[in-house]
């Protein structure tokens, strides 16, 4: 007895003339009913056990492990001990004439390969099952187990419970045989590196699987995801990106996530399955909650540690000043403005829906600290200051340094905006609108410092892959945040501002002008504030670039905003030179 060739059509007997029995192919005691799929590394058969009549899926390697059979068996046994709802349990394992197999329960389940077709699938559906599979992969990777051959025919779709992955550690070829530490051998540096490489390949394959489902066709017209993965750098030179025309529209943020999984630069790909799962989950929440998804990432932390920590010393000084006479309100306002966290907390306190409901109709949102002090009273200022978490909150040294640097960058943008504002516009309002345009950055940096670092890394230019090529530009902040969080970073700030009760007019002002659209002359006071703040933030962002890129970026800012704000190089240079204690 030998294993039927994987290329043989086992369904051919179904069309035989009447009276001719359908041929039965056997593998040991199993009846092989249909070949579900194959790749260069593994194959899967629908089978039945005559003793129990239980429907099964048998997954086998395409190569016999030979002398390494015990290593294969140990690896599959280790994988079978990993239990997760999206990992189908192994119900049997054995060897037939040198061919090892793992058996899985196949009741009420079809494979993902059976469902994929040329018409593609909706983004929400694909992201939903992909996120769940990534959670399972992350769980397996944490246990030192990889799949090695993620394919559509190795994903079962039962009637309930979500997708289930089969075939962990079953695949085998010469490259897998050479992996150190497989099957429970002692782990050393080489073994750990091999585990990380195998886990990274699983994530690339999952990205290719999403590509297949969204595009309605396999990437590079190659159905074997493993072979496609091997053509990507650094092994190959192929570029895999979702086509712009797909059977069903693919939202931009989801497109960025899928493309990042297969990015030609290894350093830009997802570091692990859990990171990609978080990005997909963030996108799914955003879609489900009509744009409110980013706030769901923050709500629990907002209640436990607040939006931001108090700047060192500033909140204490404000609390002491609030004990003094009422006539010093203007001086108190200046102190509050020195503390970004306290300034935002004052705005939140006076603009929440509950408090605004007690205000006189038509008074609009509060956008000055002076007015907030008048409404809350000195006791309210003191309570707000004392309620802030002490610097730097739960951040470690690296996070503290990054947040302090961002605080100074935001303050500088506020001073630049004050210097650039047209005559007649309140300097405090201009400062606070500029600050609010950075609300998403601030929140992500404080609450998700690792994600913020990932975003910055993706925004950096990538070195050329080969000698003679030019370096690749980094991602935009919007694309990078979509790749990490599943949503644009500005959306996080808008969600927080909306949660505070700021109305549509303010939400409009705190959205930066698009970098991809020309700047027009503002035709309302709100547009003037939005334009001045956007100009200041873009100018300060330009100064954060490498030295060789600063001057061209500042010249671009002048070309965009010069006519709309009636400013030239001299005015911009003077504004960028403004120091604390400047225009107010």
């Amino acid at each position: 007895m030998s294993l039927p060739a994987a290329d043989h059509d086992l369904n051919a007997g179904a069309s035989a003339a009447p009276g001719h029995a359908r041929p039965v192919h056997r593998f040991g005691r199993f009846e092989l009913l249909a070949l579900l799929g194959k790749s260069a590394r593994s194959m899967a058969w629908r089978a039945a056990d005559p003793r129990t009549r239980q429907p099964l899926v048998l997954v086998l390697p395409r190569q016999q492990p030979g002398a390494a059979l015990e290593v294969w068996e140990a690896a599959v046994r280790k994988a079978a001990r990993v239990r997760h709802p999206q990992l189908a349990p192994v119900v049997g394992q054995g060897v037939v004439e040198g061919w090892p197999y793992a058996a899985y329960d196949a009741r009420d389940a079809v494979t993902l390969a059976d469902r994929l077709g040329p018409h593609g699938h909706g983004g929400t559906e694909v992201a939903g099952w992909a996120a769940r599979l990534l959670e399972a992969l992350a769980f397996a990777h944490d246990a030192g187990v990889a799949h090695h051959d993620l394919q559509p025919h190795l994903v079962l779709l039962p009637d309930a419970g979500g997708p289930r992955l089969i075939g962990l550690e079953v695949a085998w070829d010469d490259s897998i045989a050479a992996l150190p530490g497989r099957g429970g051998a002692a782990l050393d540096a080489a073994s750990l590196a091999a585990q990380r490489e195998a886990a990274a390949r699983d994530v690339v394959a999952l990205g290719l699987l999403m590509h297949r489902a969204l595009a309605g066709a396999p990437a590079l017209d190659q159905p074997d995801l493993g072979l496609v993965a091997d053509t990507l750098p650094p092994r190959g030179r192929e570029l895999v990106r979702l086509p712009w025309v797909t059977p069903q529209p693919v939202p931009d943020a989801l497109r960025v996530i899928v493309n990042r999984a297969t990015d030609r630069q290894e350093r830009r790909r997802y570091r692990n399955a859990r990171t990609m799962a978080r990005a997909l989950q963030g996108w799914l929440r955003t879609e489900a909650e009509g744009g409110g998804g980013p706030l769901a990432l923050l709500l629990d932390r907002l209640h436990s540690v607040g939006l931001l920590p108090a700047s060192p010393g500033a909140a204490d000084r404000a609390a002491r000043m609030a004990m003094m006479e009422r006539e010093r309100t203007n001086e108190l306002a200046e102190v509050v403005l020195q503390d970004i966290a306290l300034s935002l907390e004052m705005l939140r306190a006076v603009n929440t829906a509950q408090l605004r409901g007690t205000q006189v109709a038509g008074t609009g949102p509060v956008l000055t600290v002076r007015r907030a002090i008048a409404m809350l009273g000195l006791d309210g200022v003191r309570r707000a200051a004392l309620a802030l978490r002490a610097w730097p909150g739960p951040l470690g040294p690296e996070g503290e340094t990054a947040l302090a640097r961002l605080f100074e960058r935001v303050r500088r943008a506020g001073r630049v905006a004050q210097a650039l504002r047209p005559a007649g516009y309140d300097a405090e309002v201009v400062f606070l609108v500029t600050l609010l345009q950075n609300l998403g950055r601030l929140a992500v940096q404080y609450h998700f410092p690792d994600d913020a670092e990932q975003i910055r890394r993706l925004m950096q230019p990538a070195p050329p892959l080969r000698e003679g090529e030019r370096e690749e530009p980094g991602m935009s902040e919007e694309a990078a945040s979509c790749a990490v969080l599943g949503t644009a970073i500005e959306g996080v700030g808008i969600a927080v501002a909306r949660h505070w009760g700021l109305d549509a007019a303010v939400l409009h002002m705190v959205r930066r002008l698009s970098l991809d659209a020309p700047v027009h002359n503002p035709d309302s006071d709100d547009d003037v504030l939005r334009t001045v703040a956007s100009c200041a933030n873009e100018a300060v962002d330009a100064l954060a670039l490498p030295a060789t890129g600063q001057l061209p970026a500042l010249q671009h800012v002048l070309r965009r905003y010069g006519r709309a704000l009636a400013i030239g190089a001299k005015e911009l240079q003077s504004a960028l030179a403004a120091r604390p204690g400047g225009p107010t």
Side-chain angles (χ1 to χ4, degrees), residues 160-187:
R164 291 185 298 166
L165 192 58
I166 61 175
L168 280 178
E169 293 284 357
V170 173
W172 190 266
D173 63 12
D174 292 339
S175 63
I176 296 176
L179 291 176
R182 194 162 188 256
L187 290 180

Side-chain angles (χ1 to χ4, degrees), residues 192-413:
L192 292 174
Q195 285 186 3
R196 287 193 294 269
E197 183 178 352
R201 192 177 189 274
D202 284 349
V203 178
V204 171
L206 197 285
L208 292 170
L209 186 57
M210 293 185 69
H211 183 291
R212 168 71 179 87
L214 294 167
L220 307 181
D221 293 324
Q222 169 57 261
D224 187 334
L225 304 185
L227 294 181
V228 178
D230 288 339
T231 67
L232 301 177
R235 294 186 181 88
R237 304 184 62 171
E238 293 290 348
L239 174 66
V240 172
R241 296 180 69 83
L242 269 175
W244 286 109
V245 178
T246 53
Q248 299 188 40
V250 179
D252 289 343
L254 181 60
R255 178 182 296 275
V256 169
I257 293 172
V258 176
N259 285 340
R260 183 188 174 191
T262 60
D263 196 287
R264 68 193 300 263
Q265 288 277 350
E266 271 193 295
R267 73 180 190 88
R268 288 182 178 169
R269 296 174 192 163
Y270 289 101
R271 293 182 294 179
N272 52 59
R274 188 166 285 106
T275 304
M276 186 175 178
R278 286 188 60 200
L280 287 172
Q281 290 159 356
W283 181 80
L284 286 166
R285 281 192 290 264
T286 301
E287 290 293 298
E289 298 172 24
L295 186 58
L297 299 172
L298 289 171
L299 272 179
D300 290 341
R301 295 185 61 83
L302 288 178
H303 292 307
S304 61
V305 300
L307 178 66
L308 293 168
S311 298
D316 290 340
R317 185 181 173 197
R320 289 195 302 270
M321 288 195 66
M323 301 288 291
M324 301 178 185
E325 59 273 16
R326 193 172 300 274
E327 287 73 14
R328 301 186 65 177
T329 296
N330 286 341
E331 186 178 349
L332 176 57
E334 292 179 11
V335 174
V336 171
L337 285 169
Q338 294 173 18
D339 189 327
I340 290 177
L342 184 54
S343 300
L344 291 173
E345 175 60 20
M346 297 285 288
L347 294 185
R348 183 205 65 77
V350 296
N351 284 292
T352 54
Q354 294 89 340
L355 183 55
R356 290 190 60 202
T358 68
Q359 298 174 13
V360 177
T363 57
V366 178
L367 287 177
T368 69
V369 169
R370 295 190 307 273
R371 187 176 168 203
I373 293 173
M375 294 178 63
L376 293 174
L378 298 182
D379 286 342
V381 176
R382 186 168 58 254
R383 285 194 299 271
L386 296 176
L388 293 177
R389 187 153 185 178
W391 179 268
L395 294 176
E398 292 184 2
E400 176 184 1
T401 299
L403 184 61
R405 191 161 44 238
L406 181 56
F407 269 18
E408 181 49 42
R409 182 169 167 177
V410 170
R411 291 190 190 98
R412 185 175 191 182

Side-chain angles (χ1 to χ4, degrees), residues 17 29 33 43 51 105 126 143 194 208 245 309 313 351 354 359 380-381 424 458 465 486 489 492 526 538 546:
R29 72 173 187 272
L33 306 178
M43 52 185 160
R51 297 183 306 184
D105 187 348
V126 173
L208 292 170
V245 178
N351 284 292
Q354 294 89 340
Q359 298 174 13
V381 176
L458 291 175
L465 293 175
I489 201 166
V492 177
D526 289 353
E538 286 183 34

Side-chain angles (χ1 to χ4, degrees), residues 87 132 135 151 260 279 319 397 402 473 531:
L87 296 177
R132 300 184 73 170
E135 290 177 345
Q151 302 284 348
R260 183 188 174 191
T531 302

